[in-house]
Amino acid sequence: MAIEAAHYVIATGSAPWAPSIDGLAEAGYLTSATAMELDRLPASLIVVGGNAVGLEQAQLFARLGVQVNVVEALERLAPFEEPEVSAVIEDVFHSEGIAVHTGATVTTVRRDKGGYTLTAAHAGEATELRAEKLLVATGRRPVTDGLGLEAVGVKTGERGEIVVDAHLRTCNERIWAAGDVTEHPQLVYVAGAHGTLVADNALDGAGRTLDYHHLPRVTFTSPAIAAAGLTDAQAVARGYACDCRVLPLEYVPRALVNRDTRGLIKLVAEAGTGRLLGTHVIAEGAGDVIATAVYALANAMTVQQMADLWCPYLTMAEGLKLVAQTYTRDVAKLSCCAS
Ligand SMILES: Cc1cc2nc3c(=O)[nH]c(=O)nc-3n(C[C@H](O)[C@H](O)[C@H](O)COP(=O)(O)OP(=O)(O)OC[C@H]3O[C@@H](n4cnc5c(N)ncnc54)[C@H](O)[C@@H]3O)c2cc1C
């Protein structure tokens, strides 16, 4: 069937990607999608990958009673978040009985009747792990194979992503791309924004672009992890002199009332001006807190302005005001709320 149009949008998304590991392809493994289709819980599970998808699914299975091991090649869980955030989620995982192996690279995978045996190299030592099931959550790659893109002059990059300009137009002026199939962050709200942008640009010649600077991200663990803007290290790499503050949730009334003070809020600000550069949260409801921080970031607010604004008592977002106040006062001495 041939369908012709004035413009075309490629929105074929992404698919799970696994690194080349000896024996992995032959052994077979679960992905984030097939793991949700199991009709019986395994007794044990190894999750390879300690970023958003791996963390969410590791905790889900552990809470269902599965013995879970997480193996992450980088030095910490949630490796692209602030180190303080990684430390909290590692503590949470330990307290829930999830075994964490960081700085561990899986080198071989073998499967027999009883399940999987993995070998992981850690600091020159080989560790062997066994489990009934194996879930590989090491990222996703754009789906472009078999589309015949070369024939119409649409270029792809190293990871298979479709090369687009800021208007999401490909190298063929009548073909556009949106969502995970591009190089942009793999988030549903990015894909949605791309869809409307492409419609405006392709059909109305709007010439619209998107600003990704304050794009928030949330990992739905419990407590959840959320961030927007720069990390401390990213800010320093861009030449900022940073002034950062970390507020443990023991100082946030909502967390005390929840009887769950696992977590923290970290602000990254420019030294001297106090302009907010990044916000990092690990807390129940972190996604709602970060939505507030996006407004502050997008409006170039200073920590002083954040400290002076109204914020309702007994909300987790009040933690943002409290951490902003730590720049000038000792919040441990406040009588009740962030006033
Ligand atoms: C486990 C998991 C959890 C996630 N959690 C979140 C979250 O909490 N928040 C968030 O914002 N994002 C989350 N994401 C990411 C989010 O799902 C993606 O960013 C979003 O779905 C991308 O939308 P898309 O339209 O680009 O691609 P997709 O949603 O992948 O849609 C692409 C569609 O194209 C179809 N297709 C592919 N090839 C062809 C072809 N040749 N012909 C016809 N159809 C084709 C596919 O079948 C698919 O239906 C998560 C992803 C995963 C895997």
Side-chain angles (χ1 to χ4, degrees):
M1 176 178 57
I3 305 174
E4 292 198 13
H7 292 274
Y8 302 84
V9 187
I10 304 169
T12 45
S14 60
W17 172 86
S20 164
I21 297 171
D22 176 25
L24 178 64
E26 298 80 353
Y29 53 89
L30 295 169
T31 66
S32 57
T34 57
M36 296 298 101
E37 291 162 2
L38 291 175
D39 50 19
R40 188 185 63 79
L41 283 173
S44 52
L45 174 73
I46 298 169
V47 178
V48 180
N51 201 6
V53 170
L55 294 178
E56 287 176 1
Q57 297 211 344
Q59 194 178 45
L60 166 70
F61 278 99
R63 288 183 171 193
L64 290 171
V66 177
Q67 177 57 52
V68 176
N69 277 270
V70 181
V71 186
E72 166 55 49
L74 298 177
E75 288 304 321
R76 48 196 176 85
L77 296 184
F80 308 110
E81 304 299 345
E82 290 287 14
E84 296 90 342
V85 167
S86 299
V88 172
I89 199 67
E90 286 188 26
D91 279 352
V92 168
F93 271 31
H94 287 309
S95 72
E96 295 188 6
I98 302 170
V100 173
H101 311 268
T102 49
T105 307
V106 178
T107 51
T108 60
V109 175
R110 299 286 179 259
R111 186 180 187 175
D112 57 33
K113 272 191 197 143
Y116 293 80
T117 306
L118 267 69
T119 311
H122 173 62
E125 304 264 314
T127 309
E128 202 170 271
L129 298 170
R130 261 193 79 73
E132 188 183 335
K133 294 281 184 194
L134 170 64
L135 165 56
V136 177
T138 46
R140 298 171 68 83
R141 291 280 163 97
V143 173
T144 47
D145 281 352
L147 295 179
L149 297 177
E150 319 73 39
V152 288
V154 172
K155 291 204 176 111
T156 53
E158 265 178 24
R159 295 167 57 257
E161 75 279 10
I162 293 183
V163 175
V164 286
D165 65 14
H167 302 105
L168 300 179
R169 196 192 284 263
T170 71
C171 300
N172 179 321
E173 63 173 13
R174 286 172 56 203
I175 303 180
W176 308 73
D180 282 16
V181 79
T182 67
E183 63 173 356
H184 291 290
Q186 295 177 344
L187 294 165
V188 78
Y189 36 99
V190 171
H194 279 183
T196 52
L197 178 130
V198 164
D200 289 347
N201 288 350
L203 304 179
D204 291 339
R208 281 215 289 128
T209 59
L210 287 171
D211 178 355
Y212 300 91
H213 276 109
H214 313 301
L215 187 68
R217 58 181 182 272
V218 183
T219 300
F220 288 96
T221 42
S222 172
I225 298 170
L230 301 178
T231 61
D232 188 350
Q234 286 169 338
V236 169
R238 290 183 195 195
Y240 287 104
C242 278
D243 192 1
C244 299
R245 293 288 187 282
V246 176
L247 184 73
L249 290 193
E250 291 95 90
Y251 296 100
V252 179
R254 176 78 251 172
L256 291 168
V257 168
N258 287 355
R259 296 176 195 271
D260 183 0
T261 53
R262 299 168 308 163
L264 54 85
I265 302 177
K266 177 172 181 175
L267 296 186
V268 178
E270 184 182 26
T273 67
R275 181 163 72 94
L276 185 67
L277 300 173
T279 304
H280 307 271
V281 186
I282 177 162
E284 285 306 335
D288 297 309
V289 178
I290 214 66
T292 308
V294 168
Y295 289 97
L297 283 162
N299 288 292
M301 286 178 68
T302 65
V303 289
Q304 190 60 53
Q305 287 172 315
M306 292 169 70
D308 291 343
L309 270 182
W310 291 111
C311 192
Y313 175 57
L314 278 189
T315 61
M316 199 60 88
E318 189 185 22
L320 274 183
K321 175 167 172 145
L322 283 162
V323 64
Q325 289 184 325
T326 63
Y327 282 83
T328 50
R329 62 199 296 195
D330 179 358
V331 296
K333 294 193 176 141
L334 295 176
S335 61
C336 73
C337 43
S339 53

